Amino acid sequence: MREWSRAERKRGHRIGLVPTMGFLHEAHLRLVDRARERADRVVLSSFVNPLQFGPREDFDHYPRDPARDRRLATERAVDCLFAPSTEALYAVDPVVRIAPGPMSDVLEGAARPGHFQGVLTVVAKLFHVVEPDIAVFGRKDFQQAMLVRRMVADLDFGLEVEIVPTVRELDGLAISSRNSYLGPDERRAALALSRALRAVEQAWRGGQADPKELERRGLEVLHAPGVAPEYLKLVGEDLRPVARADARTVVVVAAAVGGTRLIDNVVLGEGMANDIAVRAS
Ligand code: PAF
C-alpha cells in the first residue's frame, strides 16, 4: 500500500483517504466523491477493526460484504481499495496505542470504554500506511471526527482532515451500516432520533438558547415507543456542554432501537436541511 502511495505522490498526485469498515453505503460513497474533489487519487480502506469493539459488542456480527464493496468502489472509480486482513494490519497485538484523552471520556466514549483508543490507533496506522494528503470522515460520527482532527493536530500528522455533512435518507434517518440490523418497525421507530434533533433545532431557531430547555425538548421527542434514549446533549467542538446554545453548538443523540445502538447529531447553525438527503438504495 505504501509503495503504491509513494509512487503516486512521486508522479505529483495528491492522495485522498476514506477510512471505512466496509459494507459500503451511500454515505461512504459521498466521502469518496469529496475525496475525489480534493485529491488526484482516492484510496478507500475497508477494515473491520477489532480494537474498537468492546467484548459484548457486535464485532463478529458486524455486516460484511467484500464482493459488493469491491463492485461499489469500482463503480465510484476508487483508485485503490485497501482491505488488509487482521493478520496483516495487526501482525502482533499492538502494545503501544493512541490515548485519546479526556475528549473520549464522554458520550460514546463513556458508553463504549476503549472504543476511541481502538479507533485512533487504527486511524493512525492507516495514516502511516497510506500516507494521505487528506482524509475524509463523516460528521455522523461527530465525536470520532473531532478526536481524529485533534489527534492530527496534537501529534503533527502532516495531513488535512475534512469532515463531510451527514447523509440521510429522505425521511431523515442518518445512513449507517448498523441500520441493516433494523426490522421495519424498528426502522420507523429510529426516526425519533432525527425528529428529536429537528425539534431542538426548531426550538433554537424560535429563540430558545438555554441548553437545559433544549435538551428537555429533544428528550420529549426522543421518548417514543420502541426507543431507549441514552443521551441527548448540547456540546461544543471540544465535546463539553455549552452554557448557551449558538450556531456552532452541536446536538448529539444516542438511543437504542431494538438491540441496535444508533447515534446522530446536528450543528444548530447549519441545520438538518444542509445535510445530504438521498433515496434509500
Ligand atoms: O467510522 C468508521 O467506520 C471507523 O470507526 C473507522 C474510522 C474506519 C476506523 O475503524
Side-chain angles (χ1 to χ4, degrees):
M1 178 68 248
R2 193 181 278 142
E3 270 170 28
W4 184 91
S5 273
R6 288 191 178 170
E8 288 298 333
R9 281 170 139 229
K10 255 198 199 124
R11 288 187 194 108
H13 293 146
R14 271 168 62 82
I15 312 271
L17 170 65
V18 178
T20 80
M21 296 206 297
F23 205 65
L24 300 180
H25 47 60
E26 190 55 31
H28 294 125
L29 299 174
R30 296 297 167 122
L31 303 183
V32 168
D33 293 347
R34 187 59 188 147
R36 158 123 9 256
E37 283 167 10
R38 300 288 323 277
D40 306 300
R41 293 288 178 267
V42 177
V43 178
L44 184 139
S45 68
S46 168
F47 179 69
V48 185
N49 172 34
L51 232 55
Q52 70 189 70
F53 288 79
R56 275 185 294 279
E57 291 186 354
D58 55 346
F59 175 71
D60 288 335
H61 304 113
Y62 194 82
R64 292 163 171 89
D65 191 341
R68 186 170 157 277
D69 287 351
R70 201 167 309 121
R71 179 172 59 74
L72 290 174
T74 309
E75 280 171 13
R76 213 64 161 220
V78 163
D79 297 290
C80 176
L81 174 62
F82 177 52
S85 66
T86 308
E87 296 70 34
L89 206 58
Y90 293 118
V92 289
D93 194 28
V95 179
V96 177
R97 301 180 184 195
I98 301 281
M103 277 168 79
S104 76
D105 293 342
V106 294
L107 308 173
E108 287 309 283
R112 306 180 65 187
H115 172 66
F116 287 117
Q117 184 194 80
V119 169
L120 293 190
T121 302
V122 81
V123 169
K125 280 168 78 71
L126 291 168
F127 287 171
H128 290 312
V129 174
V130 177
E131 298 183 340
D133 298 282
I134 177 163
V136 185
F137 290 82
R139 205 193 53 217
K140 193 191 76 73
D141 295 296
F142 177 71
Q143 191 171 8
Q144 164 173 290
M146 293 305 114
L147 276 160
V148 169
R149 198 178 247 178
R150 204 51 214 257
M151 174 180 79
V152 163
D154 289 357
L155 302 184
D156 301 309
F157 281 77
L159 63 100
E160 190 188 332
V161 175
E162 170 137 350
I163 297 165
V164 170
T166 300
V167 183
R168 301 178 180 281
E169 293 188 19
L170 293 181
D171 59 8
L173 184 70
I175 294 185
S176 158
S177 301
R178 289 193 170 97
N179 292 352
S180 65
Y181 298 149
L182 302 172
D185 289 345
E186 292 168 341
R187 166 75 182 65
R188 260 189 299 280
L191 292 176
L193 280 86
S194 50
R195 261 195 225 116
L197 295 177
R198 204 172 288 119
V200 176
E201 185 194 328
Q202 274 165 5
W204 176 72
R205 289 192 191 282
Q208 180 58 265
D210 177 355
K212 288 286 154 274
E213 273 309 305
L214 291 167
E215 285 170 9
R216 196 193 51 71
R217 174 72 193 117
L219 284 169
E220 209 170 74
V221 177
L222 190 61
H223 276 282
V227 180
E230 242 181 64
Y231 60 74
L232 184 143
K233 300 259 175 239
L234 273 72
V235 298
E237 289 203 339
D238 56 3
L239 304 165
R240 293 210 190 133
V242 293
R244 215 182 141 68
D246 64 25
R248 292 163 59 99
T249 299
V250 186
V251 190
V252 287
V253 63
V257 178
T260 307
R261 226 175 143 267
L262 299 173
I263 57 172
D264 199 352
N265 67 79
V266 69
V267 182
L268 284 176
E270 292 174 25
M272 294 209 359
N274 280 329
D275 288 347
I276 302 158
V278 295
R279 211 170 284 283
S281 54

